[in-house]
Amino acid sequence: MKPGQGTAADRCRVGRAVVLLSGGLDSATCLALARRAGHECHTLAVDYGQRQHAELNAAERISRALGAVRHRVIAIDLAAIGGSALTSEAIAVPDHDPAAAGIPPTYVPARNTVLLALALGLAEVLDASSIHIGVNAVDYSGYPDCRPEYIAAFRALAGLATKAGIEGRAPQIATPLIGWSKAEIIRRGTALGVDYGLTVSCYRAAPDGRACGTCDACTLRRQGFAAAGLPDPTRYEQAINNPG
């Protein structure tokens, strides 16, 4: 699926929108696309108990820079159940391994389900017509809750589990990036004026947002900029010479 294309559900009717904003590259692009389409954007970041908060600070910066009407942060403690390198000190964040298979330890159990549920509640309160999430099924790390089948299931849930859905006004779930490569996302966001220097994607980001350069997220990001033929504005802990 190429930039500018998308499913019918992704081409949402213009109106008030809730945009899930993690502080990373993908969600920033998702917000820029929603703004470009003419939506009145309300951004939502979730403090889910992640080990580093640089991405939450980035989300606030991005929301302001891209002209969202209001930015909210909701706290929920997924660290209490653990099971992920992103929420538990007992599980190490691994370096990128191109030979690795299966679901990685950076998968956070139920995260996207929780995030989308919170966005669904906010959308109903705001009478928003759509929810936008930057999930991607191409340049991703094997997470089951980034697949088109999962999004389709949540779209069905949104129509069944809400007052708005029963009344035929369930917010649409927009996933405009789901079929794009990282390079396509970066090119489109750059064309829309996204400052990727404001974003944080690293799984081991320092408090000031500097990236480790070696985790899966850093590697996919770095490869994306290289494939897009664009300079990488990421601040790394140490110089990165190899884009692969």
Side-chain angles (χ1 to χ4, degrees):
M1 193 179 297
K2 299 298 182 182
Q5 298 178 341
T7 67
D10 293 331
R11 296 190 290 271
C12 293
R13 61 188 181 273
V14 175
R16 190 170 295 152
V18 174
V19 181
L20 281 163
L21 197 59
S22 70
L25 182 155
D26 293 343
S27 67
T29 307
C30 197
L31 173 57
L33 287 165
R35 286 277 294 147
R36 179 62 176 266
H39 295 286
E40 175 193 300
C41 294
H42 294 250
T43 53
L44 174 62
V46 179
D47 181 352
Y48 60 84
Q50 56 268 60
R51 290 164 59 179
Q52 52 89 4
H53 279 193
E55 63 184 22
L56 291 172
N57 297 332
E60 183 177 1
R61 294 194 301 267
I62 294 159
S63 179
R64 185 168 57 248
L66 292 179
V69 172
R70 180 176 174 183
H71 181 64
R72 292 173 173 84
V73 180
I74 295 177
I76 184 165
D77 188 15
L78 293 183
I81 63 173
S84 170
L86 300 191
T87 59
S88 174
E89 296 282 354
I91 305 174
V93 174
D95 285 342
H96 175 68
D97 179 0
I103 297 171
T106 49
Y107 161 67
V108 181
R111 179 176 61 180
N112 280 354
T113 301
V114 170
L115 268 57
L116 279 168
L118 292 172
L120 183 60
L122 178 59
E124 190 161 29
V125 170
L126 294 176
D127 194 24
S129 60
S130 56
I131 295 166
H132 300 246
I133 182 171
V135 293
N136 180 264
V138 179
D139 284 343
Y140 79 128
S141 297
Y143 300 153
D145 53 4
C146 289
R147 295 172 299 134
E149 297 90 340
Y150 167 78
I151 296 299
F154 198 93
R155 284 180 177 134
L157 181 149
L160 295 171
T162 61
K163 177 177 181 289
I166 295 301
E167 294 174 350
R169 300 180 295 104
Q172 294 167 285
I173 311 297
T175 58
L177 313 183
I178 201 161
W180 296 8
S181 71
K182 194 68 72 179
E184 288 171 331
I185 293 168
I186 290 168
R187 289 192 194 104
R188 182 59 171 150
T190 298
L192 292 174
V194 176
D195 179 359
Y196 288 118
L198 299 177
T199 66
V200 173
S201 301
C202 179
Y203 292 147
R204 291 187 291 230
D208 65 358
R210 286 175 297 156
C212 73
T214 58
C215 68
D216 280 342
C218 282
T219 301
L220 289 173
R221 179 182 173 114
R222 192 170 69 253
Q223 291 173 340
F225 277 103
L230 293 169
D232 181 357
T234 308
R235 295 180 300 123
Y236 293 105
E237 289 277 8
Q238 55 187 356
I240 300 294
N241 297 316
N242 179 12

